[in-house]
Amino acid sequence: MNPEIFAYALLAFPLLSATAIALGMRRNGALASGISVGAAALILATAGHIIFRLDNFEFNVNWIEFGPLSLDFGFLVDDLAKLMLFVVAFVGFLVHVFSLGYMKEDPNKARFFGGLSIFMFSMLGLVMASSLVTLFIFWELVGFSSYMLIGFYLDKPSAAAASKKAFITNRVGDFGFLIGIAMAIGMFGTVNLTEMNEMVVSGEVAVTTAALGLLLFCGTVGKSGQIPLHVWLPDAMEGPTPVSALIHAATMVAAGVFLLCRTGFLMTADALQVILWVGVATAIYAGLTAVAQRDIKKILAYSTVSQLGYMVAAFGLGTLASLDADHANMHEAVISGGVAAAMFHLTTHAFFKALLFLGSGSIIHACHHEQDIFKMGGLAKKMKITFICFTLGLMALIGTPFISAGFYSKDAILALAFEQNSAAFYLLVFGAFLTTFYMIRLWKIAFFGSPNSENAEHAHENGPVMTVPLILLAILAVVGGFGFIYPEALKPIIEAGEHIAHGEHHTLIAMYGGVAWLVGLAAAFFFFRAGASEDPFKKMLGPVYAVLEKKFFFDELYNFYIAKIQQRVALTLHFLEQIALSGLIIRGAAGVAGLVGIGLKSLHVGSLHQYVYWFIAGLALFWFFAG
């Protein structure tokens, strides 16, 4: 059987599920959820067959032709796509199962599961796309899915505002991405990724401008929440928590990193320097901001932004180091340092961050939708399974030495930074300290001490449909950093990342990471009381805390720009359009033409003698101009 049949099936299952739910099951939540979860199970099985039973393949069919440019629709399934397929299919299935319990009482769960199915269709198409245009189409469908699911709660104005904010912010980045695709067409005459890579490798086309790489990077800045387009991601937590786990922690936001890895051969040294420092700045900014947040999902959201910054920085560092390497083909480019380190951390992060978001969802569900950590407390005794699983996910995120997946994948990034850029290295170590500090703060306040609200007092553990996915993800959060546990088809990139982590300076880097972990742990235990009802940092830091709590005033700055600058410019242009264009040029020209017509009409009096006079006057006028 042709391998592309399985790729088509992978797309067909979620699309048919979404279509069936939209057309006939919107009032039958139980049946809709069963169809969607069944589709997710089929996706996992089919993805498993593609990953573990099929060799790498590429398939293209001619789609549209514009003169010499031919646009193909097709699939590119290589080592990079297989690893991403595994993450999307596996985490997606667990999130679907968890959602059965989380959304059990929601009257609109049919619409929710339909949204999950259309997201899975979009994300799988993005991962397997063989050309930039096909990738962009699914990229936009992923954005639409995110918009729909963030705004799921139709009666919440904050959810509607968050969905619009996400949609508009991503359009800014995607506009740059689209210009980059147009630029690639001009340079290469094709958008097929394999053909473009072969042209670069053979020297047929030399990428000498940073503009192409940076324009493509605009898509990553929007989708993966990098500064300055990060503002949508924390607000996206207005959606149901399973959406936060699937889309805004494990898969969709990682699509930007995947795009970088897919187009790494188009990057120049200058572009990679910009990418590196955007990633470092994002990691530090988000870590500082998380320190002053109270909402459990917002803390995890800023943690996600920070970790995405690490992945982007890893790509910039490692790809810059291997830029001059003679890559024989795209496979060799994929397992170069930057791509391997970024994808290694993307994979482990998908496990432990999905676990943390689902764990927070279990807490929120048990606490009757309370999300303020200072109104929790004492949950460790009331929710033992959730507590243990959440703790294991937290240990992975903060890079607990030697016993967590996050330790090894983060070490790979620090190793690249240590070898390539000392300033970036020390900043990323500081980011590791911040991660430990704000996560231990969350953990100590939410799980220990006494309950600080009626909701926390009556919290209890959820059923197996919600706890089993937590347990499976918790296991991977511990062992996911060890290359030997992965099947052979997933090893090329994982083992390359693991090799970087165990490089020449492994012991020294582990010491730096260990010190950052230990200092963050000690500081959090010193400053925060178990089950605290108020943040002691608020009084201690004063104005500095206000800056962190307000997220460095990015939202206020954008609101000022939109209200005071953009809106006024728009009103001015509207006024000029009405007066100058519509009034003077269009209506004014019409008025002048009308007046001329009235004047000429008055000359037609029906008298031959009158026409002779006008004929003579015309000859005289012509004689005058001719003279």
Side-chain angles (χ1 to χ4, degrees):
M1 189 178 292
N2 294 330
E4 62 269 18
I5 297 298
F6 294 98
Y8 279 121
L10 202 58
L11 296 180
F13 294 137
L15 183 60
L16 291 174
S17 168
T19 303
I21 292 170
L23 295 180
M25 303 177 194
R26 298 193 67 176
R27 297 183 183 277
N28 192 335
L31 180 59
S33 59
I35 293 291
S36 183
V37 174
L42 289 172
I43 289 169
L44 181 60
T46 307
H49 181 81
I50 292 173
I51 294 167
F52 305 124
R53 301 294 297 275
L54 300 181
D55 295 330
N56 294 350
F57 67 90
E58 181 174 2
F59 170 78
N60 293 290
V61 292
N62 186 260
W63 184 25
I64 303 173
E65 289 190 2
F66 295 100
L69 177 63
S70 176
L71 296 181
D72 295 336
F73 176 86
F75 308 111
L76 173 59
V77 178
D78 55 5
D79 292 336
L80 180 63
K82 284 183 174 180
L83 183 59
M84 196 70 182
L85 275 179
F86 170 72
V87 170
V88 173
F90 182 73
V91 175
F93 174 71
L94 293 183
V95 169
H96 274 74
V97 173
F98 181 89
S99 299
L100 288 173
Y102 190 88
M103 304 298 292
K104 183 178 181 181
E105 305 299 328
D106 197 295
N108 297 309
K109 67 178 181 180
R111 179 161 53 85
F112 172 82
F113 278 98
L116 284 188
S117 290
I118 199 66
F119 169 77
M120 292 295 286
F121 165 74
S122 307
M123 192 68 202
L124 292 167
L126 186 157
V127 171
M128 295 191 295
S130 63
S131 75
L132 285 176
V133 170
T134 310
L135 193 153
F136 184 78
I137 292 169
F138 284 106
W139 183 275
E140 292 301 299
L141 284 172
V142 164
F144 166 74
S145 308
S146 174
Y147 164 80
M148 184 169 58
L149 289 166
I150 293 169
F152 173 77
Y153 295 119
L154 301 179
D155 56 341
K156 289 178 64 177
S158 57
S163 63
K164 288 188 289 186
K165 186 176 184 179
F167 193 82
I168 294 169
T169 305
N170 273 276
R171 297 295 72 72
V172 175
D174 294 353
F175 181 65
F177 183 16
L178 188 60
I179 296 173
I181 293 173
M183 189 174 180
I185 292 172
M187 292 177 63
F188 293 89
T190 180
V191 287
N192 182 276
L193 290 160
T194 302
E195 292 177 6
M196 293 165 67
N197 182 70
E198 289 173 353
M199 289 182 187
V200 172
V201 171
S202 66
E204 182 180 343
V205 176
V207 181
T208 58
T209 175
L212 176 58
L214 292 178
L215 285 168
L216 296 176
F217 178 56
C218 286
T220 298
V221 172
K223 199 73 78 189
S224 292
Q226 300 298 288
I227 285 178
L229 299 181
H230 65 282
V231 292
W232 70 271
L233 186 51
D235 286 28
M237 299 303 109
E238 291 291 341
T241 303
V243 172
S244 303
L246 176 63
I247 297 183
H248 305 124
T251 57
M252 188 197 88
V253 291
V257 179
F258 175 80
L259 172 65
L260 284 180
C261 297
R262 188 54 104 196
T263 58
F265 59 91
L266 298 175
M267 301 296 171
T268 64
D270 291 338
L272 291 168
Q273 286 288 353
V274 174
I275 291 170
L276 162 63
W277 287 109
V278 168
V280 171
T282 302
I284 300 303
Y285 158 79
L288 289 169
T289 305
V291 168
Q293 303 304 308
R294 300 174 63 98
D295 186 316
I296 187 171
K297 286 176 68 177
K298 289 275 179 80
I299 296 170
L300 294 177
Y302 277 106
S303 169
T304 300
V305 174
S306 181
Q307 296 307 305
L308 289 166
Y310 272 88
M311 297 175 211
V312 169
F315 173 81
L317 285 162
T319 311
L320 186 64
S322 60
L323 189 65
D324 296 327
D326 183 19
H327 298 307
N329 51 45
M330 188 179 289
H331 171 73
E332 293 298 324
V334 160
I335 61 173
S336 66
V339 174
M343 289 301 297
F344 186 26
H345 195 55
L346 183 154
T347 304
T348 61
H349 177 265
F351 299 147
F352 61 71
K353 188 55 66 66
L355 168 60
L356 289 171
F357 266 109
L358 293 182
S360 73
S362 180
I363 293 168
I364 293 166
H365 190 266
C367 292
H368 303 283
H369 299 281
E370 178 59 68
Q371 295 184 199
D372 188 339
I373 61 171
F374 292 99
K375 293 182 180 179
M376 295 178 184
L379 297 178
K381 294 180 181 179
K382 297 177 180 295
M383 306 179 69
K384 292 181 180 179
I385 297 175
T386 298
F387 167 67
I388 293 170
C389 293
F390 194 96
T391 301
L392 292 173
L394 179 144
M395 290 171 65
L397 173 59
I398 66 177
T400 304
F402 308 114
I403 58 171
S404 68
F407 170 74
Y408 295 101
S409 59
K410 191 174 289 186
D411 259 19
I413 298 172
L414 294 178
L416 288 175
F418 184 83
E419 294 172 0
Q420 299 300 320
N421 193 306
S422 58
F425 172 74
Y426 288 112
L427 285 170
L428 292 175
V429 169
F430 176 64
F433 155 76
L434 289 173
T435 303
T436 303
F437 182 74
Y438 65 71
M439 286 305 298
I440 295 297
R441 166 185 178 261
L442 182 161
W443 182 71
K444 193 175 180 183
I445 291 168
F447 286 104
F448 297 98
S450 302
N452 289 316
S453 67
E454 195 73 18
N455 291 330
E457 181 69 42
H458 294 100
H460 57 83
E461 188 60 86
N462 295 292
V465 74
M466 294 177 70
T467 54
V468 170
L470 297 181
I471 294 169
L472 293 175
L473 287 169
I475 294 170
L476 288 172
V478 175
V479 303
F482 299 103
F484 66 85
I485 72 152
Y486 289 87
E488 201 63 37
L490 300 178
K491 281 186 176 180
I493 296 175
I494 295 295
E495 288 189 340
E498 189 182 35
H499 177 73
I500 296 169
H502 292 91
E504 180 182 355
H505 305 289
H506 169 63
T507 303
L508 181 61
I509 291 164
M511 288 176 60
Y512 273 105
V515 169
W517 174 83
L518 189 61
V519 173
L521 194 74
F525 268 94
F526 177 78
F527 284 112
F528 299 106
R529 179 175 57 83
S533 59
E534 287 297 332
D535 192 342
F537 259 35
K538 195 164 188 175
K539 290 183 178 179
M540 292 171 56
L541 297 180
V544 175
Y545 186 92
V547 172
L548 300 180
E549 191 175 29
K550 288 290 186 179
K551 312 152 198 170
F552 288 80
F553 298 101
F554 266 97
D555 284 327
E556 288 76 7
L557 179 63
Y558 284 146
N559 289 337
F560 173 82
Y561 165 76
I562 291 169
K564 303 299 183 183
I565 300 175
Q566 179 177 293
Q567 193 65 15
R568 290 181 178 180
V569 170
L571 289 172
T572 302
L573 292 175
H574 176 70
F575 175 77
L576 292 174
E577 187 270 337
Q578 291 294 312
I579 298 299
L581 186 60
S582 297
L584 295 177
I585 297 176
I586 298 175
R587 294 176 188 168
V592 171
L595 289 172
V596 171
I598 292 171
L600 293 174
K601 182 180 178 182
S602 67
L603 301 178
H604 293 72
V605 295
S607 172
L608 184 59
H609 296 86
Q610 192 75 17
Y611 293 156
V612 170
Y613 287 122
W614 285 120
F615 180 71
I616 294 170
L619 283 175
L621 189 63
F622 177 75
W623 191 10
F624 172 78
F625 280 110

